[in-house]
Amino acid sequence: GAVVSQHPSWVICKSGTSVKIECRSLDFQATTMFWYRQFPKQSLMLMATSNEGSKATYEQGVEKDKFLINHASLTLSTLTVTSAHPEDSSFYICSARDLQESYEQYFGPGTRLTVT
Amino acid sequence: GNSVTQMEGPVTLSEEAFLTINCTYTATGYPSLFWYVQYPGEGLQLLLKATKADDKGSNKGFEATYRKETTSFHLEKGSVQVSDSAVYFCALSGGNNRKLIWGLGTSLAVNP
């Protein structure tokens, strides 16, 4: 089956620093990748939709200057949390949609970010 | 707009009990419907899906039928196992952008 990886799986950083999270589709090409944030015991919140070679589309209320998304190739998208604060601590999940399938998304294992 | 309403948990069952997790939706057009599962410490996995009315998705003993007349996609399993303990999410995908709209998730704990 289609596999999506995320790196790192967990990261601890200090307030004010930036953190980059990578999302890769390992065995398929993904024109579209999605970035989600999951709070404890809550559902997934879509942050942005990332299309290869173009600017990401951010959901309402998500600061695009704080959460920088780059989708430079058909297999890689990155999320950079800039000037991180403790309230940015969360579980970040990416998903990728296969070129060949119009509706199915494959999810990465998630990245646990803790900002101290 | 599109939305998904999922029964609140947590749900606690004994092994071999019957499971139902209710999911209803609001959507324009003909969305695709999904159940995802998140096992402890793991990422989301697609459990089953249905893309049109009256379709039945099934996997690992779980089933859900796309009911357009009641706008529902309830998840069922006849006999749960301890290994089914996880959080289950109902979701729909519709519209031109095919974004997933999520329910809040239902935590299931199965005791031996």
Side-chain angles (χ1 to χ4, degrees):
Chain A
V3 178
V4 175
S5 70
Q6 273 183 250
H7 178 79
S9 55
W10 59 270
V11 57
I12 302 172
C13 70
K14 293 186 177 180
S15 287
T17 62
S18 295
V19 174
K20 180 185 283 188
I21 302 170
E22 292 186 349
C23 177
R24 293 181 185 272
S25 57
L26 298 185
D27 51 3
F28 67 98
Q29 292 183 320
T31 51
T32 305
M33 289 185 172
F34 302 87
W35 286 96
Y36 295 87
R37 188 171 175 179
Q38 186 179 26
F39 295 96
K41 299 186 179 182
Q42 292 190 28
S43 189
L44 282 75
M45 181 192 81
L46 179 65
M47 299 174 66
T49 302
S50 165
N51 291 300
E52 185 264 338
S54 64
K55 290 184 179 180
T57 302
Y58 290 81
E59 295 299 302
Q60 193 171 9
V62 178
E63 298 176 61
K64 62 181 180 181
D65 293 331
K66 180 167 187 61
F67 298 99
L68 300 178
I69 291 172
N70 182 273
H71 192 163
S73 76
L74 285 172
T75 59
L76 173 65
S77 176
T78 60
L79 167 68
T80 301
V81 183
T82 62
S83 187
H85 290 284
E87 56 265 30
D88 298 326
S89 298
S90 192
F91 195 55
Y92 293 88
I93 303 172
C94 75
S95 70
R97 193 158 64 201
D98 193 323
L99 265 178
Q100 305 302 319
E101 299 185 31
S102 63
Y103 51 78
E104 188 156 349
Q105 294 181 28
Y106 300 95
F107 286 80
T111 297
R112 171 73 60 193
L113 170 63
T114 302
V115 184
T116 61
Chain B
N2 296 347
S3 67
V4 174
T5 302
Q6 193 175 336
M7 68 182 277
E8 290 186 30
V11 174
T12 303
L13 296 173
S14 298
E15 209 165 19
E16 298 184 2
F18 184 86
L19 168 72
T20 300
I21 301 178
N22 289 337
C23 173
T24 57
Y25 68 91
T26 301
T28 54
Y30 302 93
S32 296
L33 301 173
F34 307 84
W35 276 101
Y36 282 85
V37 58
Q38 188 175 31
Y39 296 104
E42 299 184 18
L44 282 160
Q45 302 174 27
L46 178 64
L47 180 60
L48 54 84
K49 64 178 185 276
T51 58
K52 60 182 187 297
D54 299 326
D55 266 3
K56 178 186 283 188
S58 61
N59 186 25
K60 299 181 181 180
F62 290 88
E63 292 184 341
T65 301
Y66 188 146
R67 301 283 189 201
K68 191 164 178 62
E69 63 276 13
T70 55
T71 61
S72 65
F73 193 54
H74 304 322
L75 182 68
E76 296 182 337
K77 185 173 185 180
S79 176
V80 293
Q81 306 301 312
V82 173
S83 58
D84 294 326
S85 299
V87 180
Y88 294 82
F89 292 92
C90 184
L92 72 80
S93 173
N96 295 331
N97 57 23
R98 296 287 184 180
K99 288 192 294 189
L100 281 170
I101 308 298
W102 297 86
L104 290 179
T106 302
S107 175
L108 169 67
V110 180
N111 298 320

